[in-house]
């Protein structure tokens, strides 16, 4: 049987503007193509920043001009971002596979991820999205929409949403069936559309953004993947980052990772969730390994030539 890997793409693999994204996914497709050509069964997850913020801004700007229009909720913006990122990514992968003579279908699954409505994250929204506003503009928008706005590092005011932990991937059965039948599946984009279950099994969208790394880890666990590959902007996880004594790490055990986390070695919202997700996956079942490395180094990383490998 093929070894199964979940590849989590950061925003660097997707670009920021529409033209950048078109070009970025071509390079990304080559990296994923290398893994498929080596015989791995691949499922792909991806970031949706800043794309979801651009969609959120555009929808709200439209709402400003049309008083009878209801601003699009975050869940809808997340769904839109999954669709258009998946569209570019699956086309690039399709082209790359055909050019290599590999007949492996590519499909994008619009994915909902259940969260706990009682997650403490909803009491302390921490994820800024959308454009910067003046304080006066933020107050007007808050009164009109009911959204929470806070000052962001002295740069202006932005909307803040919660970042709850993922609990269950709603479309997991479909993702597994597609993967088992030989498809390259793009799913859990942007951490998935956050939803929670209400009466009569209704799935209600939540005003939240799920961390892409935690959703990718959950997917890797539930697909029984052999490896979780988190592609980011650095070749290796480092301690004393950006200091004269910076040290890249080749191997990392969960115990060592926890020690470094306690020391505050990894930045929140950056490397910290990647390391935490890698540790969770490595501990979920004997023999599982997580790899954190650069997009361009994925092939070398999976061969053990570079990157940081997290395992028991």
């Amino acid at each position: 049987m093929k070894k199964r890997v979940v590849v989590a793409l950061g925003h660097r693999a997707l670009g920021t503007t529409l033209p950048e994204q078109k070009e970025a996914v071509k390079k990304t497709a080559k990296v994923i193509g290398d893994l498929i050509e080596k015989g791995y069964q691949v499922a792909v997850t991806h970031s949706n920043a800043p794309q979801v913020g651009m969609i959120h801004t555009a929808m709200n700007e439209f709402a400003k001009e049309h008083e009878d229009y209801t601003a699009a909720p975050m869940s809808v913006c997340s769904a839109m971002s999954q669709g258009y990122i998946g569209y570019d990514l699956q086309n690039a992968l399709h082209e790359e596979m055909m050019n290599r003579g590999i007949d492996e279908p590519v499909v994008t699954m619009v994915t909902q991820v259940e969260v706990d409505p009682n997650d403490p994250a909803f009491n302390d929204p921490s994820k800024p999205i959308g454009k910067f506003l003046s304080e006066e503009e933020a107050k007007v928008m808050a009164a009109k929409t009911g959204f929470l706005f806070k000052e962001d590092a002295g740069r202006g005011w932005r909307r803040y949403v919660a970042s709850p932990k993922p609990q269950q991937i709603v479309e997991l059965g479909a993702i597994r069936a597609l993967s088992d039948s030989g498809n390259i599946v793009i799913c859990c984009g942007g951490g998935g559309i956050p939803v929670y279950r209400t009466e009569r099994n209704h799935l209600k969208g939540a005003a939240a953004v799920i961390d892409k790394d935690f959703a990718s880890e959950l997917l890797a666990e539930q697909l029984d993947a052999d490896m979780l590959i988190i592609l980011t902007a650095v070749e290796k996880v480092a301690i004393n980052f950006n200091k004269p004594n910076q040290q890249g790490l080749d191997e990392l055990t969960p115990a060592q990772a926890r020690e470094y986390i306690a020391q505050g070695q990894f930045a929140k919202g950056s490397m910290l969730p990647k390391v935490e997700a890698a540790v969770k996956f490595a501990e979920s079942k004997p023999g599982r390994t997580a790899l954190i490395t650069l997009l361009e180094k994925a092939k070398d990383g999976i061969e053990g030539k570079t990157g940081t490998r997290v395992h028991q």
Side-chain angles (χ1 to χ4, degrees):
M1 289 182 65
K2 291 183 177 181
K3 284 194 171 183
R4 178 175 283 169
V5 298
V6 170
V7 179
L9 304 173
H11 67 269
R12 187 168 170 270
L14 301 170
T16 54
T17 65
L18 287 171
E20 279 183 16
Q21 182 169 296
K22 289 280 188 185
E23 289 304 310
V25 294
K26 292 179 183 178
K27 298 175 183 176
T28 300
K30 292 185 183 300
V31 171
I32 296 171
D34 287 342
L35 301 181
I36 293 167
E37 200 163 49
K38 287 182 69 66
Y40 290 98
Q41 186 181 59
V42 177
V44 182
T45 67
H46 59 81
S47 167
N48 67 349
Q51 288 88 344
V52 73
M54 292 189 291
I55 292 169
H56 176 265
T57 297
M59 300 299 281
N60 283 331
E61 287 300 311
F62 184 83
K64 284 182 183 178
E65 302 299 321
H66 300 79
E67 291 186 1
D68 59 342
Y69 180 80
T70 302
M74 274 303 301
S75 54
V76 172
C77 295
S78 179
M80 290 180 176
S81 72
Q82 285 189 15
Y84 100 79
I85 293 170
Y87 162 66
D88 278 346
L89 191 52
Q90 75 180 28
N91 279 357
L93 278 168
H94 172 78
E95 181 179 338
E96 185 66 26
M97 293 303 98
M98 296 300 288
N99 288 343
R100 294 183 188 222
I102 300 172
D103 185 14
E104 200 158 327
V106 188
V107 62
T108 297
M109 173 66 70
V110 175
T111 315
Q112 301 173 96
V113 176
E114 282 194 58
V115 298
D116 182 353
N118 297 313
D119 190 308
F122 285 107
N123 296 323
D124 184 25
S126 60
K127 287 274 189 180
I129 62 164
K131 70 174 187 178
F132 290 97
L133 304 172
S134 68
E135 183 175 2
E136 183 178 344
E137 289 173 325
K139 287 179 178 179
V140 170
M141 284 299 294
K144 182 177 180 179
T145 63
F147 297 159
L148 172 67
F149 289 84
K150 295 193 290 187
E151 190 176 22
D152 184 358
R155 297 175 294 176
W157 290 65
R158 298 176 79 188
R159 184 186 175 190
Y160 274 70
V161 297
S163 183
K165 290 291 195 300
Q167 302 296 320
Q168 179 63 40
I169 298 165
V170 177
E171 288 78 19
L172 178 66
I175 294 167
R176 183 185 288 120
L178 287 165
S179 184
D180 287 347
S181 60
N183 294 272
I184 304 163
V185 187
I186 302 164
C187 56
C188 297
I193 304 165
V195 296
Y196 59 90
R197 207 169 286 273
T198 63
E199 69 282 348
R200 300 179 64 84
N201 288 314
H202 173 65
L203 294 173
K204 182 176 176 60
V209 173
I210 300 169
D211 190 285
K212 172 264 303 175
D213 298 310
F214 292 132
S216 302
E217 189 283 327
L218 181 62
L219 176 71
E221 269 196 53
Q222 295 189 340
L223 278 185
D224 196 23
D226 299 282
M227 179 175 280
L228 169 64
I229 304 174
I230 299 175
L231 300 178
T232 185
V234 294
E235 188 168 347
K236 296 180 181 182
V237 177
I239 54 173
N240 305 315
F241 186 65
N242 274 344
K243 296 178 181 178
N245 60 339
Q246 177 176 317
Q247 178 188 346
L249 304 171
D250 298 321
E251 308 280 338
L252 194 58
T253 67
Q256 289 170 329
R258 288 193 181 90
E259 185 176 333
Y260 290 137
I261 289 170
Q263 294 172 9
Q265 289 283 357
F266 309 127
K268 290 181 179 179
S270 179
M271 187 55 71
L272 180 59
K274 293 171 176 54
V275 172
E276 289 178 332
V279 167
K280 189 173 186 297
F281 181 71
E283 291 186 320
S284 63
K285 186 178 179 180
R288 286 178 173 171
T289 299
L291 169 70
I292 302 174
T293 194
L294 270 172
L295 172 70
E296 298 85 353
K297 298 289 185 178
K299 184 179 177 182
D300 288 342
I302 208 167
E303 292 174 353
K305 297 176 182 177
T306 191
T308 302
R309 299 171 77 88
V310 183
H311 54 83
Q312 298 205 63

